[in-house]
Amino acid sequence: MQLSVILPAVVGMLASLAGVTLGGVLTRRAQAQQWSRDRLTHACLLIMNESSRIQIALHRYQRGEDRPDWVSWNEALATIVLTAPSGLVQAALAIDETFWRTTDEIEAGASSGQDWERIRASIEAARLAFANRARRELAGRSDVVTRLAARPRPLARRDLAAPPDSGGAGPVGLSGEG
């Protein structure tokens, strides 16, 4: 056989093998990155969900009900510690630290509505800092969210009095008719 026939065939075969190998490596890397990102997203959602649940439980505790159940919160913290970069872990631990301080204040006698407004503000500030850090990590967002959507602005309650021509039905949307 002639070298001019064999050489292009061998080079073509080696190029094909190199292409398949490189494609496999790149695909594996992309899948691993996507898996890590999915795990990080899940961990961030756990922190947001569980911190909301604990905040509600702390408010109930402040009003004299049972202590919060911390198991799910601790599981969420463990998940974020194992999956997130250190800045995001620190933001989650700041929420945890706020929960510890809040529990101490409640047990020391913080029971008024004003106490809760102050306590809630510190919890929400820590949660908001975490949410903004997660937005930067997950989506590369540099814009900042200024409040969490689940809570109206403090002390900016709407006037819930019925409009004069509504026959006392209340604001549109609250009576079930609007």
Side-chain angles (χ1 to χ4, degrees), residues 106-128:
I106 291 169
E107 290 174 352
S111 60
S112 73
Q114 288 177 335
D115 288 335
W116 180 249
E117 289 295 322
R118 179 183 46 76
I119 289 168
R120 189 192 78 227
S122 67
I123 293 171
E124 287 183 0
R127 293 183 70 232
L128 188 59

Side-chain angles (χ1 to χ4, degrees), residues 6-22:
I6 295 175
L7 187 58
V10 169
V11 169
M13 190 170 56
L14 290 175
S16 294
L17 286 173
V20 167
T21 302
L22 181 60

